[in-house]
Structure formats: C-alpha cells, structure tokens
Amino acid sequence: MTETDPSGDALKEFDAAIRTDHMVGQWTFEPILEAATGGPTPRGTGHVWPWKTARARLAEASKTLGPAGVGRCNLTFLNPGITQGPPGSTHTIAAGVQIMRAHEVCWSHRHTMSALRFVIEGNAEAFTVVDGEPLTMDRFDLLLTPRFSWHDHHNPTDEEVVWLDVLDLGLTLGLNQAFYEPFGEASQPQHPSAAESQGLRAASLRPVWERPRQERLPIRYPWADVVKTLAAYGDTVGDPYDGLALRYANPVTGGPTLPTMDCWVQQLAPGFEGLSHRRTSSSVGFVVSGHGRVEVGDDTWEIGPGDTFAIPNYAWHRLSNPDDAAAEPLRIFSVHDIPALTAFGLFYEEPVRAVAAHSAPAVPGIPHKPYYRNDAMLAQGETR
Ligand code: 1HN
C-alpha cells in the first residue's frame, strides 16, 4: 500500500483533516468519474400516467379543495425513480394536470420557471392571460407562459377546463434560480386592444415601425393550425426515430419554443416502428389521439388518448404505432429540455445524429444552384 492509495490510512486521515477546512481532494471524485464512463445514468425511470387515473384524481382534488377560487387545482406527475432533488416527471421537467372549475379565476402570479399549457378539455370562452395578453384555451391549443410573465387563468363558463401543465421546474430549481411574485390581485390588467398584442407582432404581418420582441412571447398555437400543417405533410414518414415530428417554433426567431423547452407534435402512421435511440435530453409526452407503444429500457407500455409518459435523460427508447388495419395515426404532444442542453453544448444523441440533420427539400426539377445577381456577390474563387 502506497501513501497515495485512496484506502491508505495516511490519505484517509488527510481527507478528514481537510474536511474541517471545507476542502476535498480530486481523488475522491474518481468514483463519480468512473460511474460516468459511457455517459450519464438516466435520472429516474420511464413511466406512464394513465389518463383514467389522472382524470379521476383531478376530479377528487377538485372536490377536496372545495369551491372555486382556492388556488391552482394542479396535480404534478412525479417520476417514481426520482427520490432526491426537485420534484418532477423528469429531473428537469414537471408535467401535471390542472382543472379550472366553472367560473374560476386562478390568481395572477409570475415565476422564473417557464410554463406551457396544452389544453385537454377546453372551449373558446376560457382563457389565460399572459403579460396582459388573453389567450383562448380551446381543445389541444398550446399556450406559452415564458419565464417571469404574469399569468392568471379564467373560466367564465359552466364547463370544467382541463390542461396538461408543463414547467422547467427541476432545471430552474436545480440551478437555484427561482424567483416568485404574486400580482396581488386575482387578475392582471389586459391590453385595451388586440393591437397591443405580442402575438400579432410575431405573426407574418408585422409593423414596420417596431423591432419585434424576440423572446418571452405570450404565444398561442391553435390546434386547428397544427391539424392543417400535419395534413399538408400528408403521408410523409419523417424521421426514422421520431416519425413526422414538427417543432413549435418561436415565430420570430424560428428557434426553440422556449429557451429551456422545445415542444413537438408527432404523428406516427399505423405501422410506424420508431428506431431505438437515446439523447442526453429528457422529455414528457402526451397522447393527443390514437394508440401506440412506448418502450424505455426494458419496459413497455401501451398508450392511448390522454396518457402522459416520461422518458428520462439518456435512456434508450422507441415509439411505435403497431400495425392494425383499423388504426389511426398516433399523435403525441411532447416537451424536451433540448434547448437548455444545447445552450451548454451538452446535447448529444446516440446513434450519433442531430435534430435538424437533414437539408430542406430542393425545388422540383431545378438542380440547386446559388443565385447571384452580379459578380460582386460571388464568393472568392466562385464562377457564375
Ligand atoms: C403554476 O404557476 C401553475 O400557473 C400550475 O397554473 C402549476 C406548479 C408548480 C409551480 C407553479 C399555473 C404549477 C405552477
């Protein structure tokens, strides 16, 4: 036994001694480094929260909480494999179901956790207000509440409103970046006219006299638009791993839905068998319609409408819509912490590939050739 053997008595004594000065030797990190050989161990497990259970528990919660107006009737989905650190469905993302009772107002507040809502039971009269902007909560609409934007939810109808609520809770709490502020009144003021809306400024027609806000946009993505877009892709199979997967882009920058979370809609045709892969990101999926299967590691679940599932970071997984003559496409709404990892250069996939690896389709019948108006536009060494 040498003096530098970590099990040596002299070193053990030294380790204990420097602890009193709040220091630790690099050699004590060796087990952590060795455990990371080949990458991170997935944090948490794959899991499915069946719609039937979630909806029943939500109804019980609504009853137990009593009359409308006592706060947010929200049940957060906890990953059974995450026992330490911030609560959540993955280590960065907390998804849950929320119910807004008839004539309820969920009071206004804001926090540095970014949030989004995917409406499950909605109607054209229910709305959420985000930084003064009322956003309709119709069925399967996606509504963004970027970090630190004021938000209150309103249900002026006799019907219940239910949605999937997703926050970057584990990420923000894990980085110890939580700020919270109640507005002090139930409702924040709303823009006096739709002309003030950021959503309008992020649309295809924009004022020439303004610089659009790039970020923290209170955006609504209506489901009707998603359906039209999916229809335009027809029977495009898309990606061999993710199928026909479309990102909800920031309408101004084209970047991720939010700086910390990217939202996707996926359509898997009957018979689609996604290839198995893993990513350093984690995700939460919600079945909008259809039936299929999710496999994470050695576990398999059958999934159907309303079910929510979690895929932990760096876990092998695949999605499929096993063939059945009567089957419909499987449509999934999903949230990924990819942008947070990309910002730090930590996003990685296996097999090695990249989201956005393929170039856009060419113009039909016309071989792609850059167009130069004059010789001055040519790059050095290029000819026309
Ligand atoms: C929150 O602000 C809402 O605004 C829902 O509806 C769920 C869970 C944790 C922290 C904040 C909401 C939440 C939340």
Side-chain angles (χ1 to χ4, degrees), residues 212-301:
R213 209 207 265 180
Q214 304 253 320
E215 231 257 287
R216 294 186 68 243
L217 298 165
I219 294 293
R220 166 177 176 244
Y221 300 86
W223 180 248
D225 291 354
V226 175
V227 171
K228 262 188 240 156
T229 306
L230 285 174
Y233 279 90
D235 54 9
T236 305
V237 175
D239 181 270
Y241 299 89
D242 300 307
L244 175 55
L246 305 176
R247 295 174 39 238
Y248 287 81
N250 172 319
V252 175
T253 65
T257 324
L258 291 161
T260 51
M261 295 182 284
D262 211 8
C263 298
W264 297 4
V265 62
Q266 274 167 279
Q267 181 166 285
L268 312 183
F272 178 86
E273 293 282 345
L275 300 179
S276 184
H277 64 155
R278 59 178 175 175
R279 304 184 157 126
T280 50
S281 54
S282 64
S283 66
V284 171
F286 173 83
V287 180
V288 180
S289 61
H291 291 83
R293 188 173 293 158
V294 55
E295 294 171 51
V296 181
D298 296 329
D299 297 315
T300 301
W301 295 266

Side-chain angles (χ1 to χ4, degrees), residues 24-60:
V24 72
Q26 190 278 343
W27 51 91
T28 61
F29 293 123
E30 283 302 324
I32 293 173
L33 294 174
E34 269 166 37
T37 308
T41 304
R43 180 73 51 86
T45 63
H47 195 74
V48 173
W49 292 269
W51 173 244
K52 222 177 135 197
T53 313
R55 188 64 183 85
R57 288 295 194 197
L58 202 53
E60 286 172 29

Side-chain angles (χ1 to χ4, degrees), residues 112-371:
T112 44
M113 283 72 84
S114 291
L116 55 94
R117 291 159 236 292
F118 188 81
V119 181
I120 305 170
E121 297 170 21
N123 64 68
E125 271 94 67
F127 60 100
T128 186
V129 184
V130 182
D131 271 354
E133 211 144 325
L135 307 175
T136 301
M137 301 188 102
D138 219 342
R139 196 158 108 110
F140 300 151
D141 287 350
L142 170 64
L143 316 164
L144 304 186
T145 309
R147 65 182 185 285
F148 224 48
S149 40
W150 296 111
H151 53 287
D152 36 83
H153 318 303
H154 300 255
N155 182 7
T157 76
D158 294 333
E159 308 294 322
E160 290 173 332
V161 176
V162 175
W163 62 81
L164 183 79
D165 209 281
V166 186
L167 295 96
D168 54 8
L169 193 74
L171 183 77
T172 308
L173 293 183
L175 293 171
N176 197 28
Q177 299 301 328
F179 289 74
Y180 170 77
E181 203 176 353
F183 184 72
E185 290 171 46
S187 306
Q188 62 181 300
Q190 294 171 28
H191 291 316
S193 124
E196 309 288 314
S197 127
Q198 290 294 330
L200 201 62
R201 281 154 173 72
S204 302
L205 292 166
R206 301 176 195 176
V208 296
W209 64 89
E210 283 180 1
R211 267 194 316 270
R213 209 207 265 180
Q214 304 253 320
E215 231 257 287
R216 294 186 68 243
L217 298 165
I219 294 293
R220 166 177 176 244
Y221 300 86
W223 180 248
D225 291 354
V226 175
V227 171
K228 262 188 240 156
T229 306
L230 285 174
Y233 279 90
D235 54 9
T236 305
V237 175
D239 181 270
Y241 299 89
D242 300 307
L244 175 55
L246 305 176
R247 295 174 39 238
Y248 287 81
N250 172 319
V252 175
T253 65
T257 324
L258 291 161
T260 51
M261 295 182 284
D262 211 8
C263 298
W264 297 4
V265 62
Q266 274 167 279
Q267 181 166 285
L268 312 183
F272 178 86
E273 293 282 345
L275 300 179
S276 184
H277 64 155
R278 59 178 175 175
R279 304 184 157 126
T280 50
S281 54
S282 64
S283 66
V284 171
F286 173 83
V287 180
V288 180
S289 61
H291 291 83
R293 188 173 293 158
V294 55
E295 294 171 51
V296 181
D298 296 329
D299 297 315
T300 301
W301 295 266
E302 304 299 323
I303 48 173
D307 294 346
T308 302
F309 57 90
I311 298 175
N313 71 311
Y314 218 44
W316 288 102
H317 65 277
R318 65 188 288 263
L319 291 169
S320 53
N321 182 356
D323 206 356
D324 167 350
E328 49 174 328
L330 172 62
R331 282 179 174 170
I332 292 169
F333 167 77
S334 60
V335 183
H336 307 250
D337 58 6
I338 293 174
L341 298 185
T342 305
F344 295 134
L346 294 173
F347 180 63
Y348 170 78
E349 292 176 274
E350 203 175 275
V352 178
R353 53 187 282 277
V355 169
H358 306 276
S359 48
V363 178
I366 304 169
H368 179 70
K369 219 171 132 204
Y371 171 68

